[in-house]
Structure formats: C-alpha cells, structure tokens
C-alpha cells in the first residue's frame, strides 16, 4: 500500500535518472564542468598544483602528468548516489511535502558527495601512482587506477547508505510493516 502512495515520486526519480543518464552519453567535458571544476580546485589545493583547462580534454596537471576529464567527473556515481538517497528517503518519509523535497535534496546531496568522493579518489590515485611509478609497468598502473576508483566509489556508497539509513531510522517515526 505504501509503494502505491510513493509511485509518483519513484517515477519522477526514475525519469530524472534516465534523462540524466542519456544526457551523460552525449555530454562532453564542457558539459560536466559543474563537476570537474570544483573537483579540480580541491585536487589543486591538496596537491599544491595548478591545472590548465583544455575544453576538449579537461584539467591538465603538468607537474603530476594527470588529466581530470569526463570519465573522472563521477557522473555515474552521482546518479547512483541520487537514486540511493531517493529510495531511502521515500522508504522512511511519510509527509507528502517532505516527499516532494526528497528529489531536489537528493540531487544536491548527491552532488556534494560526488565532489568529495571524486577528490578522494583522484588524490588517492595520484599518491599511489607516484608510489608505484618505479616498479609497475604502465598497463598495471591503469589497473591500479581503476581498482582505486571501484573501491573508493563502492566504499563511499556503502558508507553513505549505512549512515543515511541510520539517520532516517533515528529521525523518523517509521515502523517497518510486515
């Protein structure tokens, strides 16, 4: 019965997910500037480095030999995080006004979390790349880079899910229905 009351909100979130996912497939680096620029600024602060922006490539750090580009934007993570927040929110929130606010709150929250996770992932990759340059061949470094991305994204998604569910359980009068 509760799922029927939430169907409009679920369909809205699913529709937005599909539109954004399709938009990502045709997006270029300039279209993802809203994710790449804050990530670049924070990575620059952490590494004490400056980047140069190339519209067709992304943010290039010459002294690190690193490019932050479309695949580094974390857009897929943003969509997963947005979906997770919407699903959990709709599971616990009963108030129709609050349910209406879940989608925009989920977008903003997912955006902020994506920036944080991107910076963490890229910084960890830079540090490990410099540590492994001497003894790993280039193709093995690519595997390490992708592994760091997978582990970082998955860890933060799981941690985010756990913390958000605890938050909702502790701050709502939700009763699990059998």
């Amino acid at each position: 019965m509760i799922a029927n009351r939430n169907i409009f909100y679920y369909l809205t979130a699913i529709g937005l997910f599909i539109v954004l996912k399709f938009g990502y497939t045709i997006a270029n680096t300039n279209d993802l500037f809203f994710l790449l620029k804050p990530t670049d600024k924070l990575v620059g602060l952490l590494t004490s480095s400056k980047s140069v922006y190339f519209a067709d490539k992304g943010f290039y750090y010459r002294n690190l030999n690193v490019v932050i580009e479309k695949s580094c934007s974390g857009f897929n993570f943003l969509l997963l995080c947005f979906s997770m927040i919407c699903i959990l929110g709709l599971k616990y929130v009963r108030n129709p006004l609050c349910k209406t606010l879940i989608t925009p709150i989920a977008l903003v929250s997912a955006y902020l979390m994506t920036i944080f996770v991107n910076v963490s992932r890229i910084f960890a990759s830079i540090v490990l790349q410099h540590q492994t340059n001497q003894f790993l061949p280039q193709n093995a470094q690519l595997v390490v880079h992708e592994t760091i991305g997978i582990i970082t994204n998955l860890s933060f998604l799981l941690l985010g899910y756990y913390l958000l569910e605890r938050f909702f359980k502790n701050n709502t009068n939700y009763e699990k229905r059998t």
Side-chain angles (χ1 to χ4, degrees), residues 12 16 82 85-86 98-110:
T12 301
L16 187 56
F82 164 73
I85 295 168
C86 283
C98 292
K99 285 182 183 186
T100 303
L101 294 174
I102 286 173
T103 300
I105 289 170
L107 278 172
V108 171
S109 301

Side-chain angles (χ1 to χ4, degrees), residues 21-70:
K21 183 64 176 173
F22 176 74
Y24 178 70
T25 63
I26 59 174
N28 60 32
T29 303
N30 284 330
D31 298 327
L32 297 167
F33 200 75
F34 72 101
L35 285 169
L36 293 172
K37 182 64 175 174
T39 300
D40 165 65
K41 286 292 185 195
L42 292 171
V43 167
L45 284 173
L46 286 173
T47 61
S48 300
S49 301
K50 292 204 185 279
S51 66
V52 177
Y53 181 70
F54 297 102
D56 58 331
K57 299 228 186 297
F59 291 93
Y60 175 63
Y61 288 84
R62 195 170 108 202
N63 63 326
L64 300 171
N65 195 27
V66 170
V67 177
I68 300 176
E69 44 99 71
K70 179 181 176 178

Side-chain angles (χ1 to χ4, degrees), residues 75-145:
F75 196 83
N76 288 318
F77 180 86
L78 175 94
L79 291 178
L80 288 172
C81 193
F82 164 73
S83 300
M84 175 188 71
I85 295 168
C86 283
I87 290 167
L88 275 174
L90 292 172
K91 176 181 175 183
Y92 287 100
V93 173
R94 292 184 182 169
N95 182 312
L97 175 62
C98 292
K99 285 182 183 186
T100 303
L101 294 174
I102 286 173
T103 300
I105 289 170
L107 278 172
V108 171
S109 301
Y111 173 76
L112 295 172
M113 189 168 172
T114 299
I115 299 299
F116 176 76
V117 171
N118 277 349
V119 171
S120 302
R121 177 179 47 82
I122 292 169
F123 185 70
S125 291
I126 289 170
V127 169
L128 276 174
Q129 177 184 351
H130 287 289
Q131 299 296 320
T132 60
N133 266 350
Q134 290 78 27
F135 61 90
L136 283 180
Q138 189 67 29
N139 58 348
Q141 285 184 3
L142 181 61
V143 171
V144 169
H145 177 79

